[in-house]
Amino acid sequence: QVQLVESGGGLVQPGGSHRLSCAVSGSIFRVYAMGWYRPAPGKSRRELVAVFASNNMTTYADSVKGRFTISRDNSKNTVYLQMNSLRPEDTAVYYCHAGIALVHPGPINEYWGPGTQVTVSS
């Protein structure tokens, strides 16, 4: 069973920094894009926070540009989200997402982590 294992959720002060991690668990052939999502303010739909594509290109939501940095350790099939200058509006459940090929040749399937709560409050 392939799973995305998230860690790093917690409480942080406004203006502070925090880091999330997400590791792929299980038997897989290759991990492609990995990223982080969260609900839009006042909405339940998940929207992109940051993604690290398999071509090493990164994309960020406008609301986090200049504050968040996404990175990967491909040897560990792990993606990180470094969050700086955190604001109360960053409070959300953050969900890890990955495109994974279980076998080769085979299709790229999408997987979601269970979500980890980040609360920014004094």
Side-chain angles (χ1 to χ4, degrees):
Q1 180 84 356
V2 174
Q3 294 180 310
L4 302 184
V5 182
E6 303 162 339
S7 64
L11 177 65
V12 62
Q13 298 273 347
S17 297
H18 203 66
R19 191 178 77 155
L20 304 179
S21 65
C22 173
V24 177
S25 176
S27 180
I28 59 97
F29 172 73
R30 185 176 179 181
V31 179
Y32 293 86
M34 298 190 75
W36 293 93
Y37 291 73
R38 69 186 185 190
K43 301 178 181 179
S44 61
R45 188 181 78 254
R46 298 175 187 179
E47 296 187 347
L48 176 72
V49 177
V51 63
F52 198 121
S54 57
N55 63 1
N56 295 325
M57 296 293 293
T58 58
T59 303
Y60 297 90
D62 288 341
S63 60
V64 307
K65 287 180 180 177
R67 299 189 298 120
F68 290 10
T69 302
I70 190 168
S71 61
R72 289 177 68 163
D73 183 343
N74 291 330
S75 68
K76 299 179 180 179
N77 289 326
T78 299
V79 65
Y80 305 92
L81 185 66
Q82 178 65 46
M83 303 180 290
N84 299 327
S85 302
L86 282 162
R87 306 164 180 169
E89 52 263 42
D90 293 318
T91 296
V93 177
Y94 286 74
Y95 297 88
C96 181
H97 175 270
I100 301 171
L102 302 183
V103 297
H104 182 72
I108 301 173
N109 302 303
E110 298 189 12
Y111 292 84
W112 290 95
T116 185
Q117 176 71 44
V118 175
T119 301
V120 184
S121 176
S122 59

